[in-house]
């Protein structure tokens, strides 16, 4: 049996303060302790300033994976393998997570961490531009976590919609973008792309969706029809 180790409240902040530090610390303090391996990856993310999702969002991704009884999942944006581990640990027995990372050095770092957290046997890392890889990646998927460069969000949405099964969940990170999406003015390219993504998804009758104000904003969309 794995020994669990309490971890102090996660300190590395996302892009903006969507949730106050006090509330975020309170939420994190009410999560189950992470095991030694996952806590080490979490500490690495904090120490080296990797933009990982944090423990509360990681747990939410894990729960979504379990609730959908996912056997085949897709992640766009592996980073150091933190969110990857949360999703992979929620897969049904024999399930697989395909994760895409554009930087080969980062992919190698992620592979080492996935071996450390005990999920390497259920994760396949693809290296390259997610938009190009998606063209040849066949569905259906039960769960998709989208966390690529924000300017690429609108371009991948139609493909992800096609690859996701009815009853599957599309989760997308950073959709509040430090609150910039809600402010007046055009904003930068990333802000405009995220707005377009959010507006398109909200209007798509194939989905029932909500933006959860956790970390930098997580969009959760259930595909209800083709």
């Amino acid at each position: 049996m794995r020994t669990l180790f309490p971890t102090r409240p996660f300190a590395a902040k996302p892009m903006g303060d969507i949730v106050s530090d006090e509330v975020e610390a309170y939420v994190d303090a009410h999560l189950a302790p992470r095991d030694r391996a996952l806590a080490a990856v979490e500490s690495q993310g904090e120490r080296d300033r990797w933009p990982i999702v944090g423990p509360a969002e990681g747990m939410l991704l894990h729960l979504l994976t379990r609730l959908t009884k996912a056997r085949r999942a897709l992640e766009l944006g592996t980073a150091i393998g933190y969110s990857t581990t949360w999703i992979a640990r929620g897969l049904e027995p024999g399930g697989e997570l395909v994760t895409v990372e554009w930087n080969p050095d980062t992919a190698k770092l992620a592979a080492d961490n996935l071996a450390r957290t005990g999920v390497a046997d259920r994760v396949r890392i693809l290296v390259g531009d997610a938009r190009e890889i998606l063209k040849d990646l066949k569905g259906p998927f039960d769960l998709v976590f989208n966390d690529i460069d924000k300017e690429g969000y609108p371009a991948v949405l139609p493909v992800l919609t096609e690859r996701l099964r009815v009853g599957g969940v599309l989760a997308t990170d950073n959709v509040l973008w430090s609150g910039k999406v809600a402010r007046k003015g055009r904003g930068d390219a990333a802000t405009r792309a995220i707005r377009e993504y959010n507006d398109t998804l909200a209007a798509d009758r194939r989905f029932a969706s909500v933006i959860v104000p956790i970390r930098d904003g997580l969009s959760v969309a259930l595909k209800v029809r083709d």
Side-chain angles (χ1 to χ4, degrees):
M1 186 174 84
R2 290 183 305 192
T3 302
L4 298 181
F5 294 82
T7 54
R8 61 190 175 88
F10 187 71
K13 294 294 293 178
M15 277 200 56
D17 295 320
I18 301 302
V19 179
S20 70
D21 292 350
E22 293 81 5
V23 171
E24 188 167 285
Y26 183 85
V27 171
D28 289 350
H30 287 78
L31 295 169
R34 273 75 75 200
D35 61 86
R36 185 193 294 270
L38 186 56
V41 180
E42 193 173 295
S43 295
Q44 178 186 19
E46 178 181 346
R47 181 186 66 245
D48 298 336
R49 309 303 297 175
W50 286 97
I52 64 176
V53 298
E57 188 174 334
M59 176 59 79
L60 181 53
L61 291 171
H62 178 78
L63 293 176
L64 290 171
T65 306
R66 295 182 65 175
L67 287 168
T68 56
K69 298 186 182 299
R71 292 184 178 275
R72 192 161 188 250
L74 172 65
E75 177 185 50
L76 304 183
T78 315
I80 61 172
Y82 182 73
S83 54
T84 317
T85 296
W86 280 107
I87 296 169
R89 288 182 173 182
L91 292 170
E92 291 287 288
E96 180 188 54
L97 169 59
V98 179
T99 185
V100 181
E101 171 56 47
W102 73 272
N103 187 309
D105 293 330
T106 305
K108 175 62 169 62
L109 185 60
D112 292 342
N113 282 334
L114 297 177
R116 173 192 293 183
T117 59
V119 298
D121 61 339
R122 69 199 84 160
V123 178
R124 178 158 54 104
I125 302 176
L126 303 179
V127 179
D129 188 322
R131 285 163 286 195
E132 293 300 316
I133 289 174
L134 274 175
K135 294 177 181 178
D136 299 317
L137 197 57
K138 305 300 181 184
F141 291 96
D142 305 303
L143 178 130
V144 176
F145 179 47
N146 176 27
D147 194 17
I148 61 169
D149 62 286
K150 310 315 159 190
E151 290 88 343
Y153 275 17
V156 299
L157 181 55
V159 186
L160 296 179
T161 300
E162 180 185 333
R163 302 289 192 273
L164 187 68
R165 69 165 172 86
V166 173
V169 167
L170 168 61
T172 306
D173 204 17
N174 302 114
V175 295
L176 292 179
W177 205 234
S178 302
K180 292 178 183 178
V181 293
R183 297 172 191 157
K184 293 181 179 180
R186 294 184 72 245
D188 59 17
T191 301
R192 296 195 300 271
I194 296 169
R195 283 178 182 155
E196 179 183 346
Y197 182 90
N198 291 341
D199 291 347
T200 303
L201 187 57
D204 194 326
R205 294 173 61 85
R206 291 170 293 181
F207 287 100
S209 62
V210 63
I211 293 175
V212 182
I214 187 174
R215 300 283 285 168
D216 198 28
L218 181 72
S219 169
V220 179
L222 175 70
K223 188 174 181 182
V224 296
R225 60 175 65 90
D226 280 322

